[in-house]
Every structure is written in C-alpha cells, then in structure tokens.
Amino acid sequence: MNFQGAVSAAWTKVQGMINSSIIMLPNIVLALIVFVLFCFLARTVRFLVRRVTRRYRNARNLGLVLGRVSQGAIILVGLFVALSIVIPTFQAGDLVQLLGISGVAIGFAFRDILQNFLAGILILLTEPFQIHDQIVFKDFEGTVESIQTRATTIRTYDGRRIVIPNAELFTNSITVNTAFDNRRLEYDVGIGYGDSIERAKELILEAMHSVDVVLKDPSPDVLVMELDESTVNLRARWWIAPPRRADSLDSRDKVLTAIKNKLTANGIDLPFPTTQILFHDQTEETDGDRTCQREGWPAGKGQVPKPRRISDSLKLLAQMRSHGNGKQVNDGDTEKL
C-alpha cells in the first residue's frame, strides 16, 4: 500500500508539472519570440551605428564601442522582458541583487578577462591606433585586422595572424607606422676619405630627386654622420607617402639603386672595411713626440725622419744570409738594417 501510494503521488506530481508546462507553453513561446526580436533589434542597432560612423575616420572605433554596448544593453533588456513573461513574479531587481552578491567572486575568477575587456574599451575610445594601421609591438609587426573587446588581431607581412591581449597593448609601448601621412626613411652611405664630401652630397641629392616616390616637400637631405675607420659616413634621408611597409620597401630599393649607380658613375669610392698595419721604428729620436711621428700622426713643421720599411729590412737580411753572415754587405746597409 505504501509503494502504491508513493507511485500515485509521484504520478500526480508529474501530471501537475505537465499541466503547468502546457499552461505556460504559450508564455514560453511568446518569451522566445520576444527575445529573438530583441536580438534582431540589437544587431540592427549595432549595424546602423557602425554604418553611420564608418564614413568618419575619427569615429570608427567609437562606433564599434557604441555598437557593441548598445547591442549588449538591448539583449539584456530583452532577457529581462522574456523572463518576466515566463515568470510573472520575476523582477529585474532580484537579478541585479544576485549579480551584486556574486560580483566580487566573478571579478576574482575572471580578472584577466575583465582587464582585457576594459583595456579593449579604452583602446577603442582613445584610439592609439585604428583598424588597417600598421603597428610594431615587441617582436610583432603587421596590419591591424580587428579590435575586439578581449584581444586585437594583426596580420603580419608574411601572412600570419597574431592575437594580442588588449591589456598588453594598453600597458606597453607601440610603434604606429601609419599614424601620419608622411614617413621619413634614412640610410648611411660610406665614401672614401679621398673623395669630396660636397661632391658626394650633390650626387646623392640628385639621385634621390630622380626617384619619383621621394617627396619634394619635405625635401631630402644628406648629413655627415661620422668619420669611421674606413669610410666617411653620409646619411641620406628622404620622405615618402603613404607610409606603408610596401611603399617604404619600394622607395628604399629605388633610392639605394639610384645612389649607388650615381656615385660609381662619377668616380666616388664606396670602400669596404679595411685594416692597415703600420710597423713603427722605436729607435728614432722623435719617438713619443706626436708632432714629429710620421706613421698615423701629422709630421708638423719639423724635420721628418726617413721612412724605414720592413720590406727593406727583410731584403737586407736575405742578402746577409746569402753572402755568408753579412761579410759582403756594406756598412751602410747593415746600419739601415
């Protein structure tokens, strides 16, 4: 009897749930329809906001922020309305109170996610860079594809996608190569010490002006940068527009080709690094006086000692050995040795 009574009570309860579900079915269907309509409205509002702001370059990122925030707010309102239809006793304040109680725990559990979300919002609002900008971040360089609320994706020049958390971008230094309309490039050219610096500057300027991608305003220039071991280094600087990576590579190729051809055609030396070894005779009376030394230092106005080359000494040594311990070598040659 107890078993039959328990089964009967359970069946009665199941029937009551089924009847309640059947009664609530119209409300559930209506709630789903309302929620779908709100989702459609949210997507429409986001599309309209992005479409309005797309024509203004400075408002593109702001449009992304407003669109996403508007979409989230409308979906949240639709959820509240749908719940109130299914559960008439439901109040929005109850859900807000529940979220407030669990907000601290959620904040600790999803700290990194929230940090990236806030950083993404700030990036979209402050606009340190925009979509289609070319940026350099640490070891990564490429074109910004999208700025999401969690991460930013860039496409590298060799066709790879890099996903960077927004918190990293917001708290570190970034180089934006396309922030301005023009960009200056530079390259050091080494000429020989025997060449005229003024003549080399004129030739380099002529070469840069002959390249069509080099801007006339600002005009290119050439500066002497340093006196290196084997060369006099001249820095050629020129401007290009637009400042994208492909344009910089194209201009560099054309400018360097023109400079090399121009300098070599006019007899300007482009020396490679060389090392010169000087053997100095330490027996001269002027040794230590840099105003009179001839090797590596100016001779000044005093008398310059006669140069002594190691090749002459080796030649005399060979002659001495070939004639028997130097017996037939005259005293003058022995003195030179």
Side-chain angles (χ1 to χ4, degrees):
M1 294 296 294
N2 294 333
F3 176 74
Q4 292 180 351
V7 171
S8 176
W11 176 249
T12 303
K13 188 173 182 179
V14 170
Q15 284 185 333
M17 294 176 60
I18 294 174
N19 293 332
S20 299
S21 301
I22 294 175
I23 295 174
M24 293 181 60
L25 185 61
N27 293 340
I28 295 175
V29 173
L30 179 60
L32 289 175
I33 294 175
V34 170
F35 184 72
V36 170
L37 290 177
F38 270 93
C39 290
F40 178 77
L41 177 63
R43 294 186 60 183
T44 303
V45 171
R46 178 181 178 182
F47 174 77
L48 291 176
V49 172
R50 295 184 60 181
R51 184 175 181 179
V52 171
T53 57
R54 188 178 301 171
R55 66 188 66 179
Y56 304 102
R57 176 178 175 82
N58 295 332
R60 290 179 182 177
N61 289 343
L62 181 60
L64 291 175
V65 175
L66 294 178
R68 291 171 182 173
V69 172
S70 301
Q71 183 181 21
I74 293 175
I75 291 177
L76 185 62
V77 172
L79 178 62
F80 287 163
V81 173
L83 289 175
S84 63
I85 294 174
V86 176
I87 308 174
T89 58
F90 171 79
Q91 295 181 359
D94 299 336
L95 182 60
V96 173
Q97 184 178 2
L98 178 63
L99 292 177
I101 296 174
S102 59
V104 177
I106 294 175
F108 279 106
F110 299 96
R111 181 180 58 183
D112 294 337
I113 296 177
L114 295 176
Q115 184 179 5
N116 289 323
F117 175 79
L118 293 177
I121 296 296
L122 292 175
I123 289 175
L124 290 171
L125 289 175
T126 58
E127 296 185 343
F129 56 87
Q130 299 177 346
I131 296 177
H132 304 309
D133 273 338
Q134 293 184 346
I135 65 173
V136 180
F137 174 72
K138 294 184 178 179
D139 296 332
F140 307 113
E141 181 175 358
T143 304
V144 178
E145 283 188 326
S146 64
I147 306 174
Q148 303 175 0
T149 54
R150 186 191 69 84
T152 296
T153 60
I154 64 174
R155 178 183 176 88
T156 60
Y157 303 131
D158 55 356
R160 295 179 294 171
R161 174 175 293 174
I162 307 296
V163 180
I164 306 174
N166 288 328
E168 296 258 346
L169 290 173
F170 191 74
T171 56
N172 290 278
S173 300
I174 303 173
T175 301
V176 184
N177 291 331
T178 53
F180 304 102
D181 295 333
N182 301 337
R183 180 181 176 184
R184 192 186 70 187
L185 303 177
E186 58 186 32
Y187 191 84
D188 289 350
V189 180
I191 65 172
Y193 273 89
D195 297 313
S196 172
I197 296 178
E198 290 74 15
R199 178 59 177 164
K201 284 185 176 182
E202 293 177 1
L203 295 174
I204 294 176
L205 286 175
E206 291 177 5
M208 288 191 291
H209 281 294
S210 65
V211 179
D212 54 352
V213 296
V214 175
L215 297 180
K216 302 301 184 291
D217 184 22
S219 61
D221 58 3
V222 184
L223 303 174
V224 178
M225 293 307 298
E226 60 182 359
L227 303 177
D228 209 348
E229 296 180 354
S230 305
T231 58
V232 177
N233 293 336
L234 307 180
R235 178 163 297 176
R237 307 190 302 177
W238 69 96
W239 293 81
I240 61 171
R244 307 192 72 81
R245 175 69 172 178
D247 302 292
S248 66
L249 291 177
D250 179 62
S251 69
R252 183 180 293 268
D253 172 70
K254 293 180 179 179
V255 168
L256 296 186
T257 300
I259 290 176
K260 194 270 180 182
N261 293 337
K262 194 73 171 180
L263 293 179
T264 54
N266 289 269
I268 301 296
D269 187 21
L270 298 176
F272 50 84
T274 58
T275 301
Q276 184 179 11
I277 300 177
L278 301 176
F279 294 91
H280 183 66
D281 191 344
Q282 299 294 323
T283 62
E284 295 176 355
E285 295 181 356
T286 58
D287 182 52
D289 186 358
R290 294 185 174 180
T291 61
C292 296
Q293 286 180 319
R294 70 177 185 277
E295 295 172 342
W297 300 96
K301 298 181 179 180
Q303 183 180 1
V304 180
K306 184 178 180 180
R308 298 182 181 184
R309 296 176 295 180
I310 192 173
S311 58
D312 296 337
S313 300
L314 294 175
K315 186 184 297 183
L316 291 175
L317 180 60
Q319 291 177 2
M320 291 174 61
R321 290 183 176 180
S322 62
H323 289 81
N325 296 327
K327 291 181 180 180
Q328 298 181 7
V329 180
N330 56 39
D331 295 337
D333 291 340
T334 305
E335 180 67 21
K336 291 181 180 179
L337 181 62

